[in-house]
Amino acid sequence: MGAKVAIIGRPNVGKSTLFNRLVGKRLALVDDTPGVTRDRRPGDARLGDLRFTIIDTAGLEEADNATLEGRMRRQTEEAISEADAVLFVIDARAGVTPLDAHFADVARKTTRPVILLANKAEGRAGADGLYESYSLGLGEPIAISAEHGEGLADLYDALKPHVDRVEEEEEARAADDAQAAEVARTDFDVDEDGEMIEEDEPVGTVERPLRVAIVGRPNAGKSTLINTMLGEDRMLTGPEAGITRDSISVDWTWRDRHIKLFDTAGIRRKARVQEKLEKLSVADALRAIKFAEVVVVTLDATISFEKQDLQIIDLVAREGRALVIAINKWDLVEDREEAWKKIRDANDRYFNQIRGVQIVTLSGIQGQGIDRLIESVFTAYDAWNARVSTSRLNRWLEKVLANHPPPAVAGRRVRLRYMTQAKTRPPHFVAFASRPEQLPESYTRYLVNNLRATFDIQGTPIRFSYRKGDNPYAVKKKRKIQ
């Protein structure tokens, strides 16, 4: 697992900028507005030859536990409790503020080693704040500039003992576990002389986790659903809409299957997104959809179906991702029979982009329907990877053409000669035809729907394209011999 290092400090001191610097990419949202980060976000950090997990946290603020800021602080406290070392960041240009002094008292009480960083210390502007930070009682400060990459060599020297210590402890535990497993091994075979026969253990392969993005409109219960799956308050939740800003990934195991869940910000209609910060959050959610394999579009059962839901589903279809629709807050619905009828009507009327989408009703807060949801996720994933042999496709094509041949255009029929599957994820089929540009779109939809029903490819987009075959009777120009 490696060492875990948490970055803490008051809002707007450059924690997310430092996080992005250490992971080597712009994962965390960065803006001049204080309080951009709300959840704790892990990332794989590299600093020289050091490899560790860095955790970005929300800015520390004094607030009541019931408020949003108080819940954000609890997320930061959780990050401190699970960290092997803590980076306490202040703004060297602003100097030591009362809020810095207050949370420095909290940091001194933790059993974790704390490294004091005076950020934004490039040039002379941060010199006074750097010297003032000695008063926090956290040892000698390290002057850095997260934005410009200055001072990272000193940070390396400070972090190396803690990262090395964790690695040595993990190696020692691994050796102890291996020795204990050898001692506990009592089931073995013996040969004719009574000697133990040692067998080579099979070399297993590491299963790559399935990437699942949870998306939807604001306040649909996405973070609450993920918290229930994990069995802990990993994501920041509350009655306020639009709490989640960053797309946070967490690892989860369901029935020995490894899954990487992506919690995303709520996606509102484009016309309503005005603030720069919300635009960044929505862009982060859209990136999560692009890199996911299965997307769970979460709808609020207490709110009627809206055009924005259809646009999100259409976006998933255009990106070519497997799709599952989750109807959350089902426990709050009084007339479930009537509500389910409306859902089915909406499915038949609007969800034409991906036929056969599985719709699962659930309650994220009570944990009802989660198993059915994940079963549907894996079913959609299997369909996303579906492959049909060329021989089966062409036998199917013969039957389709016999029952419903392409319409004649200008008195001449379009001939479909041959068909194959070009790729999967999602399934992409290619048909070779004469004059394919004259085929009406309605006939292509007929082929796709028939293909989906025949080979049971449900809950995933199907790509269908044509290629114009060479005319064997066309006169080819002979190459001139010079």
Side-chain angles (χ1 to χ4, degrees), residues 122-398:
E122 64 273 15
R124 297 181 179 178
D128 292 339
L130 175 64
Y131 296 130
E132 189 179 354
S133 62
Y134 279 92
S135 64
L136 295 176
L138 294 173
E140 182 177 356
I142 299 174
I144 68 166
S145 171
E147 184 173 358
H148 300 286
E150 298 178 8
L152 296 184
D154 294 330
L155 177 57
Y156 171 90
D157 293 335
L159 271 178
K160 184 173 175 54
H162 307 299
V163 175
D164 289 346
R165 171 181 53 82
V166 173
E167 290 180 352
E168 290 171 2
E169 292 174 353
E170 290 185 347
E171 289 175 0
R173 281 198 298 269
D176 291 341
D177 292 342
Q179 184 177 5
E182 185 66 26
V183 172
R185 183 178 161 193
T186 57
D187 294 330
F188 54 85
D189 295 327
V190 295
D191 59 18
E192 296 178 355
D193 298 326
E195 297 292 334
M196 184 177 71
I197 300 175
E198 295 192 11
E199 299 179 357
D200 294 332
E201 294 189 8
V203 179
T205 57
V206 178
E207 179 191 356
R208 187 178 59 80
L210 174 64
R211 298 191 298 273
V212 180
I214 312 294
V215 305
R217 284 185 288 155
N219 218 26
K222 301 180 291 296
S223 298
T224 301
L225 173 61
I226 292 180
N227 282 345
T228 303
M229 290 176 175
L230 300 176
E232 60 174 304
D233 292 334
R234 174 61 184 82
M235 303 297 174
L236 185 65
T237 60
E240 304 90 348
I243 289 179
T244 303
R245 285 176 173 167
D246 289 276
S247 294
I248 308 295
S249 65
V250 291
D251 293 317
W252 182 49
T253 301
W254 178 82
R255 296 181 183 175
D256 297 327
R257 302 291 296 270
H258 300 295
I259 301 173
K260 185 177 284 292
L261 298 169
F262 290 84
D263 187 23
T264 62
I267 303 175
R268 296 198 299 165
R269 282 192 301 164
K270 192 173 183 180
R272 293 185 179 179
V273 180
Q274 302 294 334
E275 297 182 2
K276 174 187 174 184
L277 188 54
E278 186 174 0
K279 290 180 180 179
L280 292 174
S281 299
V282 172
D284 210 24
L286 299 182
R287 275 195 299 272
I289 293 175
K290 290 181 180 180
F291 287 103
E293 293 167 309
V294 182
V295 178
V296 177
V297 177
T298 310
L299 309 183
D300 188 338
T302 63
I303 302 177
S304 59
F305 178 81
E306 292 187 1
K307 183 180 179 181
Q308 178 63 7
D309 299 318
L310 181 61
Q311 290 177 336
I312 296 174
I313 293 171
D314 181 63
L315 172 64
V316 175
R318 283 188 281 112
E319 290 296 336
R321 303 297 164 225
L323 172 67
V324 175
I325 297 176
I327 311 297
N328 196 18
K329 306 182 184 180
W330 193 246
D331 55 309
L332 302 180
V333 177
E334 294 182 0
D335 191 348
R336 296 186 178 182
E337 185 176 348
E338 179 64 23
W340 181 250
K341 182 178 180 298
K342 291 181 179 178
I343 293 169
R344 297 304 306 177
D345 290 343
N347 180 33
D348 297 338
R349 186 180 304 176
Y350 301 119
F351 300 168
N352 294 320
Q353 307 97 321
I354 307 179
R355 287 285 185 183
V357 175
Q358 297 204 49
I359 302 176
V360 181
T361 57
L362 55 88
S363 170
I365 197 168
Q366 294 187 2
Q368 300 171 355
I370 290 180
D371 284 341
R372 286 187 288 109
L373 173 65
I374 305 304
E375 288 170 356
S376 299
V377 164
F378 279 102
T379 299
Y381 177 72
D382 291 339
W384 194 58
N385 285 277
R387 178 169 290 280
V388 184
S389 66
T390 302
S391 59
R392 293 178 65 198
L393 280 175
N394 286 282
R395 285 196 297 269
W396 166 82
L397 183 62
E398 289 179 5

Side-chain angles (χ1 to χ4, degrees), residues 438-459:
Q438 296 183 0
L439 270 175
E441 187 177 341
S442 59
Y443 191 77
T444 301
R445 285 199 302 269
Y446 161 74
L447 292 177
V448 170
N449 291 334
N450 196 308
L451 190 69
R452 187 187 297 279
T454 302
F455 298 106
D456 194 25
I457 308 175
Q458 309 292 340

Side-chain angles (χ1 to χ4, degrees), residues 79 108 118 153 218 385-386 417:
R108 283 196 301 271
N385 285 277
R417 299 191 178 93

